[in-house]
Amino acid sequence: MLKIIDKIQKEHVFENLDVTDKESLFQALSAKISAASSQDATAISDALHKREDEYTTNIGNGVAVPHGRIKGYGRTDIFVAFLNAAINYDSDSDEHTPVKIIFAILSDEDDPKDYLLNLSQLFFLVNQKDILDKIMHSTTYVQLEEALKNVKAMDEKYEVEKQIKFLIELERADIQIRAYELYSATHSKQKSDAVLDEYKKYKETLSAKIDMNVLETYTRIKNSKGDALSKITDCKCSACNVAIPKMTVNEVRRQNQIILCFHCGKILFATD
Ligand SMILES: [Zn+2]
C-alpha cells in the first residue's frame, strides 16, 4: 500500500485557503506550515521557492506539489491545502492548468531519497483518474480521508486495469521528462538533475508495480516502435487505424488480460 496515505495528518491539512496567485499561496502556505511544524516561515518559503525556480511543480489536473528541503528538518512531512478558488499557477511554463489543490512536501536536506520516494508516490496518486476525481471533490480533511480510504479498497481490485494504468503512467512520465529536457534546453541556467531525478524515481515507483511479464512486453514494443500503447477509438486502433473486431474491443474493455493489436502489435486500451 502507498505509504503516503497514512502520512497525511489532520493538522497538516489546510482548508479554505484564500489566495489569488502563486506568490500569495506560497506566503499563506509557509505561514500555515510554520504554525503546524514550528519551523521558521521564511526558511520554508525559501526552500519552496528554491525548488520552484528550477521548474514548475504544477503537475496538471489542478494539482501542484511544491516541495523543499530544509537543513536539519529530520523527517518528511506532507501538507495539503484546499484553495477556495483555482489560481493561475504558472506564466512561464508549458503547464498552464489552474491549480486547486496543493500537496506540499518538506523534508531534510540530507535525505533526498525519502523525499523523492514521497514525491513519486504523490505523482502516482494524483495521476490515477478515479483517485484524483475523489480527491478533487474534497474540500476538507474528512472528505480527503474518505477519498483515500476508497483508494485503499480499490487498490486490491482490478489487476489488469491497474497494469494498463501503470503503463499509461509510464508513457506520461516519459513525456514529462522530454518536456523538462526541452524546457532546460531553452532555460539552460536552470537545468537541474534534481528535477530529472524526481521523474526517474517516479518511473521506478511505477515499474515496481507492474507485473514483470507485462513490463517486458511493454519494453519490447516500446523499444521497437517508440510508443507501446494504443487507445481504441470508434472501434479502431488509434496507432494504425485498423478496425478492431467487436469481440476484441469487448475483451479489452473487460480488462481480464493484456491484448495487442493484431495489426501493429501495440498494447490496446479503452477509456470508456
Ligand atoms: Zn494497431
Side-chain angles (χ1 to χ4, degrees):
M1 194 51 234
L2 293 165
K3 242 173 59 187
I4 205 156
I5 290 175
D6 306 311
K7 267 202 154 154
I8 300 175
Q9 303 166 18
K10 190 175 190 307
E11 57 274 24
H12 288 176
V13 178
F14 314 126
E15 299 167 4
N16 300 313
L17 230 63
D18 240 333
V19 294
T20 49
D21 53 20
K22 195 192 246 183
E23 200 42 53
S24 60
L25 165 71
F26 273 36
Q27 264 183 28
L29 193 62
S30 303
K32 292 262 187 198
I33 294 176
S34 173
S37 69
S38 67
Q39 275 290 322
D40 179 55
T42 313
I44 296 166
S45 170
D46 287 351
L48 295 179
H49 274 106
K50 185 170 179 245
R51 167 58 186 82
E52 200 68 36
D53 287 346
E54 288 176 357
Y55 193 59
T56 181
T57 60
N58 182 354
I59 57 171
N61 297 325
V63 181
V65 290
H67 45 278
R69 302 194 308 199
I70 294 178
K71 202 152 190 66
Y73 195 72
R75 60 187 189 280
T76 301
D77 284 328
I78 296 162
F79 303 88
V80 184
F82 296 107
L83 310 190
N84 277 339
I87 59 165
N88 177 15
Y89 197 82
D90 299 283
S91 47
D92 175 33
S93 126
D94 32 49
E95 185 56 76
H96 294 292
T97 332
V99 163
K100 187 82 198 301
I101 291 185
I102 308 295
F103 288 90
I105 304 179
L106 278 189
S107 61
D108 198 294
E109 197 170 272
D110 299 321
D111 197 0
K113 235 175 98 187
D114 190 34
Y115 153 89
L116 287 174
L117 188 69
N118 278 281
L119 189 63
S120 64
Q121 287 186 0
L122 259 187
F123 270 130
F124 173 75
L125 196 68
V126 299
N127 276 313
Q128 308 299 305
K129 195 183 173 306
D130 33 10
I131 299 177
L132 183 70
D133 280 351
K134 290 194 172 77
I135 292 175
M136 291 311 279
H137 282 99
S138 313
T139 54
T140 65
Y141 171 74
V142 176
Q143 289 169 349
L144 179 69
E145 199 189 23
E146 199 52 43
L148 294 179
K149 262 187 210 155
N150 287 331
V151 175
K152 281 192 177 186
M154 231 160 49
D155 199 52
E156 309 306 318
K157 290 199 280 173
Y158 310 124
E159 257 329 298
V160 174
E161 184 183 345
K162 277 197 312 192
Q163 299 285 304
I164 298 270
K165 279 183 183 163
F166 296 150
L167 294 178
I168 293 172
E169 271 312 299
L170 260 191
E171 295 225 317
R172 260 182 68 111
D174 274 329
I175 291 168
Q176 279 165 332
I177 288 173
R178 281 204 295 268
Y180 175 70
E181 283 173 342
L182 211 63
Y183 171 85
S184 41
T186 49
H187 298 67
S188 54
K189 262 185 275 172
Q190 292 180 340
K191 182 160 173 64
S192 143
D193 289 340
V195 177
L196 276 177
D197 280 348
E198 286 166 14
Y199 289 130
K200 282 176 187 159
K201 193 80 205 167
Y202 177 42
K203 279 182 72 178
E204 278 173 34
T205 304
L206 288 166
S207 301
K209 289 170 180 294
I210 299 171
D211 177 270
M212 247 171 61
N213 293 325
V214 174
L215 191 62
E216 214 178 271
T217 306
Y218 169 84
T219 311
R220 180 175 45 79
I221 299 171
K222 189 157 182 74
N223 287 343
S224 72
K225 300 176 196 291
D227 293 312
L229 300 176
S230 175
K231 185 178 165 181
I232 295 181
T233 313
D234 298 329
C235 289
K236 280 182 187 163
C237 166
S238 61
C240 69
N241 218 26
V242 146
I244 306 291
K246 191 85 189 148
M247 209 178 75
T248 309
V249 176
N250 287 338
E251 273 307 306
V252 172
R253 285 207 180 109
R254 220 169 282 140
Q255 296 181 314
N256 289 327
Q257 53 182 320
I258 299 283
I259 296 170
L260 307 183
C261 169
F262 67 91
H263 186 250
C264 70
K266 294 188 180 181
I267 298 169
L268 292 171
F269 69 99
T271 51
D272 49 8

